[in-house]
Amino acid sequence: AMVSNISERKALMENLRRLAEHDGLTGLYNRTYFHGELERVVGRVHRSEVSNCALLYLDLDHFKYVNDTLGHAAGDKLLIEVANILTRRARKSDLVARLGGDEFTVLVYDTRPEQVEKVADSFRRQLADLNFNYEGQTVAVGCSIGVAVIEPSAQSPAEVMSRADLACHIAKRAGRNQVHCSHR
């Protein structure tokens, strides 16, 4: 009985940890977990003085249209599809998270700064090919991606996040379904 009780307690603790770290809808890592990992990565890059990580900030281009015209159930289904596409595209070492709404991030590890834009564009192409179908209606989705290389000179995780977010806004203003790389 004691062994069973310990096993149940471990399973409960594991389940609570999973709930605390993951988004309830998509199963991706959540905002809280992502920010903790970004803090660790910025610290590691600062200490090693090697720029080998980047932050991709993705915002879906037509999510509001899906939510407003097809309803929230359609929006939820789209978010789940996008999460699956991002997870399939990412390497096992990359961290994919949902920040909330239609905003996602990917922490890309062990990549050279000159390759980051190509990596981001491969994510963009995956989502550009998504024609979301819901109850007989089809919507081309696409995304805008802002990229921030995490450099040893980064002052904080908030600064990296701000650069990636700003780059995403620039990509959206450039006509959507674009990638913009932030350079310091």
Side-chain angles (χ1 to χ4, degrees):
M2 228 167 116
V3 170
S4 176
N5 193 16
I6 291 171
S7 296
E8 287 175 20
R9 185 179 185 94
K10 280 185 178 179
L12 175 65
M13 294 304 286
E14 179 61 29
N15 190 40
L16 289 173
R17 185 187 61 76
R18 178 158 174 70
L19 290 172
E21 295 177 348
H22 291 81
D23 176 60
L25 178 65
T26 63
L28 296 176
Y29 284 106
N30 63 22
R31 174 185 293 271
T32 303
Y33 185 86
F34 163 76
H35 282 295
E37 185 61 18
L38 180 60
E39 191 170 321
R40 286 186 286 280
V41 169
V42 169
R44 189 178 75 230
V45 168
H46 184 72
R47 285 188 305 277
S48 71
E49 297 186 7
V50 176
S51 291
N52 64 349
C53 299
L55 170 60
L56 311 184
Y57 189 102
L58 294 86
D59 188 74
L60 300 182
D61 287 336
H62 299 290
F63 180 73
K64 184 172 174 21
Y65 174 82
V66 169
N67 244 6
D68 290 350
T69 60
L70 303 178
H72 292 285
D76 287 352
K77 183 176 185 247
L78 174 58
L79 292 173
I80 292 166
E81 281 188 33
V82 167
N84 290 333
I85 290 168
L86 295 177
T87 301
R88 281 194 309 269
R89 167 51 196 94
R91 300 171 302 172
K92 287 185 188 237
S93 61
D94 298 335
L95 185 134
V96 181
R98 177 175 173 225
L99 294 185
D102 64 335
E103 297 173 330
F104 296 85
T105 56
V106 181
L107 274 174
V108 181
Y109 302 93
D110 301 320
T111 190
R112 293 193 314 272
E114 60 273 11
Q115 289 183 310
V116 172
E117 201 161 345
K118 285 182 182 178
V119 170
D121 196 56
S122 72
F123 278 94
R124 184 202 57 78
R125 284 192 316 270
Q126 291 286 308
L127 290 174
D129 293 340
L130 174 61
N131 286 311
F132 177 67
N133 297 303
Y134 189 79
E135 295 181 349
Q137 293 195 316
T138 302
V139 178
V141 180
C143 70
S144 298
I145 302 177
V147 181
V149 172
I150 302 173
E151 299 169 0
S153 60
Q155 298 298 308
S156 68
E159 181 231 319
V160 173
M161 195 66 186
S162 178
R163 286 193 301 118
D165 185 28
L166 178 61
C168 185
H169 284 288
I170 292 169
K172 273 204 179 296
R173 278 195 229 123
R176 299 179 186 246
N177 196 31
Q178 304 282 323
V179 171
H180 183 80
C181 208
S182 146
H183 298 284
R184 289 176 57 83

